[in-house]
Amino acid sequence: MGYPRGTRHVTMTDVARAAGCSQSTVSVVLNSTPGIQISEATRERVMEAAQRLGYPFAAPLPPLFEGLPPTGGTVGYLVDRLATAPEAVVSIEGARQEAWKARYMLQISQTLGDPEIEAAALGLFLQQNVDAVIYASIMTREVTLPQRLIDSGKPVVLLNCYTEDNRFPCVLPGETAGGQRAATALLQAGHSRVAMITGELWMDAARDRLTGYRRALATADIPFDPELVREGNWQTSAGYEHTHALMRLASPPTAIFCANDRMAVGCYEALKELGLHIPDDVSVVGYDDEEVSRHLSPPLTTLVLPHEDMGNWAVDRLFAGNIIEQPLHAPVKLECPLVERASIAPPRLAGAIKLKKR
């Protein structure tokens, strides 16, 4: 089951974007969720978008299954946090979609990163004899698995995390390639002074996106200039403050790659405060494709984190077998696609940028 390696299938995020609604609305429509009223016009728009894009939504259950629970089994899903970011819920939805195709239920437990809660949740999973376990993290990072899970003999897949010994299959976002893709989009538009506002560099995602940025510069034979890189903290205020600092340079950038969309919002505000126009004066690229990115003026070019695909892949890999027999598993990294909007344009002539005084 699953999708060919190296390809990207259509996700609910794609359908939501095409239909002009939220992913939650798409999920309600395509899953025929009872008790929720969706207008017929919205329902038709979602169905049309799903069919046009080739989204593999399930047909109604045949009469044999109506009103009955799945018959395949149960997959336990251990995650540290659900409420701090939408990505965890998107991954869970991806895993649920894939599990349901095999008539498996997904049983979810949030551990809050607390070893005692994690041990209790895992104990419950094992007591209930789940068929397999997905161990997930909201933040891409190295983890140490509970010894009880290792000794359980259950198939285990890691989602958005990894272990040093590569003992278990894991799926991660392709952050380095994503950072390279973002910077390359600006370089291909003709920019050579491309700045970057990173996340906190103790985090894997921030370091990998910066590595991708540097690779894009090297590929384009443009020397790395540390003056053009500022370490942010993922917050809007960091984008705002660092953009002001970058534009005060003797030779300011003509393009800025923000390592997430929230910092891009701050970047937009700073540029507009300085009397600059996006993208005519300065081009901007974000990361994460948050809801706000499509409502900025102009709409923000950004990258999509493949969390739904990661959830699909995790369950698909569990069902593929041979996990326990294999001693080593190379990490699998899924593409972060670029969503092209209106925030990139070719640079103006050198010296054409005129700043307002603060």
Side-chain angles (χ1 to χ4, degrees), residues 130-303:
V130 298
D131 296 272
V133 175
I134 295 173
Y135 189 95
S137 171
I138 188 60
M139 181 176 67
T140 306
R141 61 189 176 95
E142 182 181 332
V143 295
T144 300
L145 293 190
Q147 191 62 42
R148 188 176 182 185
L149 178 57
I150 295 173
D151 295 340
S152 69
K154 301 289 184 183
V156 176
V157 168
L158 310 183
L159 193 156
N160 205 36
C161 55
Y162 57 93
T163 57
E164 183 181 17
D165 59 8
N166 291 328
R167 183 171 176 177
F168 300 94
C170 72
V171 60
L172 307 165
E175 300 280 24
T176 299
Q180 185 170 355
R181 190 170 292 116
T184 297
L186 295 167
L187 294 167
Q188 289 180 340
H191 296 274
S192 58
R193 293 285 290 172
V194 177
M196 181 177 182
I197 303 173
T198 75
E200 295 163 290
L201 291 175
W202 60 267
M203 298 176 66
D204 285 20
R207 291 196 305 272
D208 288 348
R209 293 175 194 183
L210 176 59
T211 298
Y213 161 84
R214 297 191 64 161
R215 285 186 183 177
L217 293 178
T219 301
D221 289 327
I222 295 175
F224 173 73
D225 184 351
E227 185 176 58
L228 291 177
V229 175
R230 305 283 169 144
E231 183 176 352
N233 60 5
W234 309 110
Q235 300 304 312
T236 303
S237 59
Y240 175 86
E241 293 165 4
H242 286 305
T243 297
H244 271 292
L246 288 166
M247 300 313 295
R248 286 196 298 268
L249 295 175
S251 179
T254 61
I256 301 175
F257 167 30
C258 297
N260 74 339
D261 292 343
R262 293 183 188 180
M263 291 193 297
V265 171
C267 176
Y268 266 50
E269 290 303 310
L271 291 173
K272 291 177 180 180
E273 189 174 278
L274 291 168
L276 299 174
H277 295 90
I278 306 166
D280 296 334
D281 295 315
V282 181
S283 293
V284 180
V285 171
Y287 209 109
D288 295 348
D289 193 32
E290 291 193 28
E291 180 71 19
V292 67
S293 64
R294 67 203 68 177
H295 300 297
L296 293 173
S297 179
L300 176 66
T301 295
T302 184
L303 286 93

Side-chain angles (χ1 to χ4, degrees), residues 42 112 232 258:
T42 299
L112 300 175
C258 297

Side-chain angles (χ1 to χ4, degrees), residues 55-67:
Y55 180 81
F57 59 91
L61 291 175
L64 175 63
F65 290 105
E66 286 181 358

